């Protein structure tokens, strides 16, 4: 489920949080599904429980999970978060399109590349 990259310069708690965000946004973890306990995940990953708790705190702050006292952490409804992520990705694409047009790439070339990417993704 979660694999830590010790060569990554980011702190471990950020890596854990990012992996969970990706799993949640891609639908691998559903709304109201219980998260692994802090202790069990810490043991599984062989890292300090405080690191997992910090990742969970970050996920809760960003709205990905919620806590039920005495029961644990659960996945929050992600429709809004998914829409925000889609908008962010589309904004990044627009910035990239503006940049490549400055280098002389035509609209037709961009549309062709997008169409190829969409067709390749549909397979």
């Amino acid at each position: 489920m979660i694999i830590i990259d010790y060569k990554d310069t980011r702190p471990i708690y950020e890596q854990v949080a990012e992996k969970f965000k990706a799993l949640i946004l891609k639908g691998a973890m559903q709304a109201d599904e219980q998260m692994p306990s802090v202790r069990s995940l810490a043991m599984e990953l062989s890292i300090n429980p405080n690191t997992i708790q910090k990742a969970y705190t970050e996920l809760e702050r960003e709205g990905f999970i919620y806590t039920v006292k005495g029961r644990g952490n659960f996945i929050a409804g992600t429709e809004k978060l998914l829409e925000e992520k889609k908008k962010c990705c589309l904004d990044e694409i627009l910035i990239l399109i503006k940049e490549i047009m400055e280098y002389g790439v035509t609209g037709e070339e961009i549309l062709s590349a997008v169409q190829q990417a969409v067709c390749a993704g549909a397979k």
Side-chain angles (χ1 to χ4, degrees):
M1 185 189 249
I2 303 287
I3 298 172
I4 303 299
D5 180 3
Y6 292 101
K7 294 178 183 176
D8 193 329
T9 58
R10 295 177 301 156
I12 293 173
Y13 82 92
E14 283 183 15
Q15 291 183 49
V16 171
E18 286 299 317
K19 302 281 184 177
F20 274 117
K21 287 177 194 176
L23 289 170
I24 292 167
L25 290 174
K26 290 178 181 176
M29 300 182 81
Q30 302 298 317
D32 299 319
E33 181 180 332
Q34 188 166 10
M35 297 280 289
S37 74
V38 170
R39 286 185 188 192
S40 68
L41 187 58
M43 285 178 52
E44 183 181 321
L45 298 176
S46 299
I47 58 178
N48 190 310
N50 292 333
T51 302
I52 300 299
Q53 185 58 51
K54 191 170 183 179
Y56 280 15
T57 300
E58 181 72 14
L59 288 167
E60 186 171 13
R61 187 184 65 76
E62 293 181 19
F64 283 89
I65 65 173
Y66 63 93
T67 302
V68 176
K69 201 129 177 113
R71 295 206 49 230
N73 297 294
F74 297 84
I75 307 297
T78 58
E79 297 81 20
K80 181 181 173 196
L81 295 169
L82 185 56
E83 288 305 313
E84 288 176 12
K85 182 66 175 177
K86 286 178 183 179
K87 184 184 179 321
C88 182
C89 289
L90 289 172
D91 289 345
E92 289 178 24
I93 290 171
L94 293 176
I95 290 169
L96 185 59
I97 288 171
K98 288 178 186 175
E99 182 179 339
I100 62 174
M101 288 183 86
E102 290 174 1
Y103 292 111
V105 177
T106 66
E108 288 176 4
E109 291 172 311
I110 294 169
L111 289 174
S112 175
V114 169
Q115 193 170 28
Q116 287 176 6
V118 169
C119 289
K123 293 179 183 177

